[in-house]
Amino acid sequence: MKNFKFIIISILAMFFVACQDDIVTWNKNLTDTSTPDGPPEITKIILAGDTAANPTEITSANMGDVIIIYGKNLCQISSITFNGLEVNYRDWYAAKEFVSVPIPRSLLEESQVTNKVVITTSKGTVSHDLQVAAPRLLINGLYNEFAAPGETVQVLGDNFDLYAVGKNAAGENDFLNGDVSLDGDPIEIISVTRNIITLKIPENTADGAVFEVSSEVYRSHGGTEPAKFAFRELGTLMMTEYDNWGSDDFSGDGTKAGDPAPLYGISWYVRVAGTFPGDGWYWIFGGGANITDADVAANPQNYDLKFEFLTAAGKPFGVGNLEFTIAQGERNSWAAGAGGAMALETGGNWKTMTFDFQSFFDTSKVHTGATAYNEFAIAYQVAAPEEINVDFCIANARIVKKMN
């Protein structure tokens, strides 16, 4: 899988380190060693994450995006504003010909919007057209979508703080105001941060139940459709014990020494635990399923591959790859620790992993129908010259239609 997020972070880090002799920040308390030759100029703006040889010039961006502004004399900067909102000087990186800066996350009334970025330096001021869009109220789903009814869970997403989820008109916490609901009934919220809503799943919640998240602030800024997440949505299950031709050495059900408890309602999983020689290769699961819904093959972009993953406490998954195949297509490699990125650590808890189905697989080989069996297999590749000790589990791989 092309893990663009980790690639972008690594490239940006190297870029700023390589340019650190030229990068300056400036305000009235700092001395800038790079002096502008004249008034500032802006020639183009790109997204910082655009690593193409010829990055695309943009005319619009979202709040929270990091952008790079190119031009001339972009040094000794005293202020940068978007729609009149000023950026803290500590947050930008300035050089003579570019500035890297995040767009502030703050909702404005329509009358306040100027669609301008303005940079002021010791030699003058320049403005440039840039439309800044409010971001979505984004739901990625539950940390563990197969928690038990009655369990306290985390809803993962973004911009819960921006849209004041769980707050009243005065900005005070109001955790039973209907911002999170199930079938129209409000669910009590325990806490809210920018990226996490903590709540308790009602005791009698059915499999496949759909929760909705909204807020008064969200609706007042054009949010007509609530964000949604599903509870225990099974979809098309691709991973069962009875259909496994992988090695029994990797079978777990919670009864063996060291086995974690299985998912609620899912009694079996694959466990890879122990010391493995360098550069080893192991089939840990092989099976598949009939995919009866023709829409999966017709519109694969509307589906996700999901599975639950668990790492034993103190043993993050950061060395080696999981190799996935479907319908005898090409293998797709998932390496949580690739490129020096932070290894995946769940601390002994099950975590739902979600991947875009069409991007993850060659879906042209997937076929559907009452007897349309599609092989599904997972291999573990150590991918290291020396032996390693690991302990991780994978369960409940399934194809699920996207909610948002």
Side-chain angles (χ1 to χ4, degrees):
M1 178 184 177
K2 299 179 179 68
N3 199 325
F4 291 109
K5 180 178 178 182
F6 294 146
I7 292 171
I8 289 166
I9 291 172
S10 299
I11 289 174
L12 281 175
M14 289 186 290
F15 176 75
F16 289 127
V17 169
C19 298
Q20 63 184 352
D21 291 337
D22 298 322
I23 292 173
V24 295
T25 57
W26 185 87
N27 66 44
K28 64 182 180 180
N29 297 316
L30 297 178
T31 300
D32 193 342
T33 57
S34 181
T35 304
D37 300 320
E41 299 178 30
I42 296 176
T43 56
K44 70 175 181 179
I45 301 174
I46 69 167
L47 289 172
D50 189 344
T51 59
N54 295 301
T56 302
E57 183 175 356
I58 62 171
T59 58
S60 64
N62 292 321
M63 294 175 188
D65 283 348
V66 179
I67 62 172
I68 298 178
I69 302 170
Y70 286 99
K72 297 180 180 179
N73 300 313
L74 299 175
C75 49
Q76 291 192 349
I77 295 174
S78 58
S79 72
I80 304 176
T81 64
F82 295 85
N83 289 322
L85 294 172
E86 189 163 356
V87 181
N88 189 306
Y89 74 90
R90 293 182 176 88
D91 293 335
W92 74 66
Y93 295 86
K96 203 165 186 178
E97 296 182 348
F98 76 90
V99 181
S100 174
V101 59
I103 299 174
R105 296 175 66 253
S106 184
L107 296 174
L108 298 174
E109 298 301 326
E110 190 172 342
S111 60
Q112 298 174 289
V113 175
T114 64
N115 291 320
K116 299 283 186 183
V117 53
V118 180
I119 298 178
T120 299
T121 75
S122 61
K123 296 289 187 178
T125 298
V126 63
S127 67
H128 195 83
D129 291 340
L130 184 70
Q131 292 186 327
V132 177
R136 294 171 54 200
L137 181 61
L138 181 64
I139 297 289
N140 295 325
L142 293 170
Y143 183 92
N144 174 12
E145 292 185 6
F146 272 68
E151 191 172 333
T152 297
V153 298
Q154 291 182 328
V155 184
L156 307 181
D158 200 6
N159 302 311
F160 303 140
D161 61 336
L162 189 66
Y163 289 108
V165 173
K167 293 185 180 295
N168 59 26
E172 301 164 333
N173 288 342
D174 184 0
F175 290 158
L176 192 57
N177 62 357
D179 284 356
V180 181
S181 62
L182 172 61
D183 295 332
D185 295 326
I187 304 300
E188 185 172 3
I189 300 170
I190 296 172
S191 64
V192 182
T193 67
R194 170 177 172 170
N195 301 108
I196 297 173
I197 300 172
T198 302
L199 53 81
K200 186 176 181 179
I201 298 292
E203 291 284 353
N204 297 321
T205 303
D207 289 356
V210 176
F211 291 75
E212 295 186 344
V213 181
S214 187
S215 74
E216 185 58 39
V217 173
Y218 178 62
R219 290 186 290 271
S220 68
H221 283 81
T224 56
E225 291 294 325
K228 300 176 182 180
F229 66 92
F231 174 70
R232 297 178 52 82
E233 180 61 50
L234 189 59
T236 300
L237 184 62
M238 303 298 295
M239 189 175 179
T240 57
E241 181 180 15
Y242 65 83
D243 195 33
N244 181 25
W245 49 256
S247 172
D248 288 339
D249 293 340
F250 303 111
S251 180
D253 59 8
T255 61
K256 302 173 188 175
D259 272 0
L263 290 163
Y264 179 82
I266 306 293
S267 62
W268 175 85
Y269 52 82
V270 165
R271 183 185 181 201
V272 181
T275 300
F276 295 85
D279 297 320
W281 177 279
Y282 308 90
W283 286 110
I284 61 175
F285 175 78
N290 293 342
I291 301 178
T292 58
D293 186 351
D295 191 55
V296 175
N299 296 290
Q301 72 278 5
N302 294 335
Y303 291 83
D304 286 322
L305 170 72
K306 290 177 177 279
F307 56 83
E308 274 65 50
F309 195 78
L310 177 150
T311 64
K315 290 191 176 180
F317 178 61
V319 177
N321 310 317
L322 289 179
E323 305 279 344
F324 293 81
T325 59
I326 192 169
Q328 298 182 334
E330 294 183 2
R331 288 195 302 268
N332 198 337
S333 178
W334 174 52
M342 186 179 295
L344 177 60
E345 167 69 83
T346 75
N349 300 304
W350 289 103
K351 176 178 173 60
T352 299
M353 310 300 299
T354 302
F355 301 96
D356 180 75
F357 183 56
Q358 187 173 40
S359 298
F360 200 73
F361 291 115
D362 174 9
T363 56
S364 66
K365 297 181 180 297
V366 172
H367 53 291
T368 57
T371 59
Y373 186 82
N374 291 263
E375 182 184 88
F376 179 79
I378 309 170
Y380 175 54
Q381 182 184 18
V382 175
E386 68 280 351
E387 69 177 21
I388 61 172
N389 187 271
V390 297
D391 193 347
F392 63 85
C393 302
I394 181 171
N396 198 29
R398 59 202 183 276
I399 301 169
V400 178
K401 193 164 188 177
K402 296 176 180 179
M403 294 294 303
N404 295 301

